[in-house]
Amino acid sequence: MAFRLLVKKTLMFLTLRYDLSRLMAPPQCMYLFEGDDGKLKTKEKALHQDFYGSLKMSDLARHVEAEVPEVGGGRVDVLLRFDDFRFVVEVKRVLNDASTEGLCQYLGQSVLYHSTDVKLGLLLVLDLTEKPSGSKSLEKSIWVDRSRPTVSDDWRYVVVAVVPGNRRKPSETRTGEAEPV
């Protein structure tokens, strides 16, 4: 139930960030939008802080910690700690390839954090690629992947959630494909 709640909160977070416009965005959410000068200055820390803050205001608040060392030999971005298990959220940003295949490069780090616990985690990615036709749909921005350090290891599962950054105003996007019906 706890992981299901984390996924539900992540979907809610994605929905709110997808729907947010520059006009109504609080300062901590400006990382979602293309700069006025067309330059990108966003680091993953902005997404990390925003997601952590949203979890701290949810019914998961008492379970959420940030920047936790000594987990899987490293430091995790967000940890959800329960009585008998914990979940790790790894946060990344990508500048070039936000495809399913392109994001596979981050699965290795993400699943290593599951080495001593349940084999479930979350990879939250800030997509800073160019989006001349706008962002992908929400349902194309969340999926489940699996990875394992070696072929003799058990599979570990990661929910991958992509947050579109570097967004343009809808009126500034190009039509991808259209045809009269």
Side-chain angles (χ1 to χ4, degrees):
M1 288 302 289
F3 194 73
R4 185 178 292 172
L5 183 57
L6 173 60
V7 171
K8 182 178 176 183
K9 295 300 178 189
T10 302
L11 275 169
M12 184 177 291
F13 177 82
L14 285 176
T15 301
L16 292 171
R17 295 310 174 263
Y18 259 79
D19 285 343
L20 192 61
S21 70
R22 182 189 293 265
L23 178 67
M24 296 305 295
Q28 70 269 21
C29 291
M30 293 309 289
Y31 71 91
L32 296 169
F33 305 100
E34 186 176 68
D36 291 333
D37 58 3
K39 294 191 175 151
L40 198 58
K41 301 176 181 92
T42 303
K43 303 222 182 286
E44 66 192 50
K45 182 178 181 182
L47 173 60
H48 179 187
Q49 291 171 334
D50 189 22
F51 187 67
Y52 171 76
S54 76
L55 291 178
K56 286 302 272 187
M57 293 189 314
S58 75
D59 33 355
L60 291 170
R62 66 187 177 98
H63 302 285
V64 180
E65 302 172 42
E67 301 292 332
V68 180
E70 305 301 322
V71 177
R75 178 202 45 80
V76 298
D77 294 325
V78 178
L79 184 75
L80 287 90
R81 192 183 310 263
F82 296 88
D83 291 337
D84 298 321
F85 56 91
R86 55 194 182 175
F87 301 121
V88 172
V89 179
E90 179 61 21
V91 182
K92 294 290 182 191
R93 77 170 181 162
V94 64
L95 300 171
N96 299 317
D97 184 3
S99 69
T100 307
E101 297 78 22
L103 297 180
C104 280
Q105 66 180 311
Y106 301 113
L107 292 176
Q109 178 184 359
S110 184
V111 301
L112 281 177
Y113 294 136
H114 312 168
S115 296
T116 59
D117 223 309
V118 294
K119 311 264 185 275
L120 295 169
L122 178 70
L123 175 61
L124 189 63
V125 181
L126 178 58
D127 172 10
L128 295 175
T129 61
E130 287 293 318
K131 297 170 194 60
S133 299
S135 302
K136 294 188 283 187
S137 64
L138 177 64
E139 53 273 0
K140 296 288 186 188
S141 296
I142 189 164
W143 63 88
V144 177
D145 269 333
R146 67 182 188 168
S147 182
R148 55 186 173 183
T150 67
V151 292
S152 63
D153 280 318
D154 292 332
W155 286 108
R156 299 170 192 176
Y157 294 85
V158 179
V159 173
V160 181
V162 180
V163 178
N166 200 24
R167 288 172 33 198
R168 299 177 179 186
K169 296 175 189 169
S171 60
E172 296 172 352
T173 59
R174 293 192 314 247
T175 300
E177 182 178 356
E179 60 184 42
V181 286

